Amino acid sequence: MVLPIYVYGSEVLRKVAEDVDINENPEQLKQLIADMIETMHSADGVGLAAPQVGVSKRLLVVDGKDLSDSFPELKDFHRVMINPVVLSESEQTCEYSEGCLSVPGIYADVTRPESIKVSYINGDFEQVEEEFSGFACRMVQHEMSHLDGDLFVDRVASIRKKMISKKLNNIANGRVSARYKTKLK
């Protein structure tokens, strides 16, 4: 089922998400994962965190296949990540323009580590440790930020933040246009 995507100004996007108990209701969790993947694809996104669909849990999905023309290494890159934790990150950083389904129509350069090592539970409920670099690393870091109540616009240079503040206020006040169903709460 396609879920509405919560936009900038929604309280759930600013909360630190709670850990997922994979034993509590595994069938419900599997359904949420399936709904998030369907929602992400329906909105032409490449990543989605549970808070973006109104669920304050440490869960995210990423799928890079739509970016594989520009980033061939993403052709088979898709992950379900439950309770992800960054174990280490590189000192080297890189800057890239980011956008977000929860902040429609706004893009800005964000600096993040070039590579990270993450521990998480996958969609088969197995514990995994994995290193990410390149654009896959950026996708994972962007979605993990949502789990801590952070949005990419929080990481932009102050002058750029000032330049986009009117657009952000419009979104927060319900004046938003997107091709997908949005929600503000």
Side-chain angles (χ1 to χ4, degrees), residues 41-179:
H41 288 146
S42 175
D44 291 330
V46 296
L48 192 66
Q52 292 180 272
V53 293
V55 179
S56 189
K57 294 289 185 180
R58 299 190 78 77
L59 167 65
L60 66 89
V61 296
V62 289
D63 188 341
K65 74 175 176 284
D66 289 343
L67 299 174
S68 62
D69 287 346
S70 300
F71 303 96
E73 69 275 12
L74 297 179
K75 181 174 72 90
D76 296 316
F77 181 72
H78 45 87
R79 300 287 187 278
V80 171
M81 302 176 79
I82 303 166
N83 299 334
V85 175
V86 174
L87 301 175
S88 64
E89 58 185 42
S90 66
E91 289 183 22
Q92 298 82 12
T93 59
C94 59
E95 186 176 78
Y96 198 84
S97 181
E98 293 187 20
C100 182
L101 295 173
S102 291
V103 191
I106 297 178
Y107 301 88
D109 289 342
V110 176
T111 301
R112 296 190 188 267
E114 280 186 3
S115 63
I116 58 173
K117 183 176 184 179
V118 180
S119 173
Y120 64 95
I121 299 168
N122 67 17
D124 294 322
F125 302 152
E126 302 165 331
Q127 189 69 44
V128 176
E129 279 189 14
E130 188 173 6
E131 292 187 25
F132 299 99
S133 60
F135 206 79
C137 180
R138 174 145 319 252
M139 292 167 62
V140 169
Q141 289 180 86
H142 176 102
E143 298 310 328
M144 284 184 71
S145 290
H146 281 293
L147 306 181
D148 294 325
D150 296 326
L151 300 170
F152 83 98
V153 292
D154 301 330
R155 297 173 172 261
V156 301
S158 57
I159 186 126
R160 179 69 174 133
K161 181 104 179 210
K162 196 171 196 163
M163 292 169 61
I164 61 174
S165 64
K166 184 176 180 180
K167 288 181 181 181
L168 291 172
N169 286 334
N170 283 339
I171 295 169
N173 289 312
R175 293 185 299 274
V176 61
S177 176
R179 301 184 320 61

Side-chain angles (χ1 to χ4, degrees), residues 28-49:
Q28 185 178 9
L29 178 56
K30 287 179 184 177
Q31 186 60 55
L32 175 59
I33 291 167
D35 290 347
M36 286 175 60
I37 291 169
E38 185 178 353
T39 300
M40 173 183 63
H41 288 146
S42 175
D44 291 330
V46 296
L48 192 66

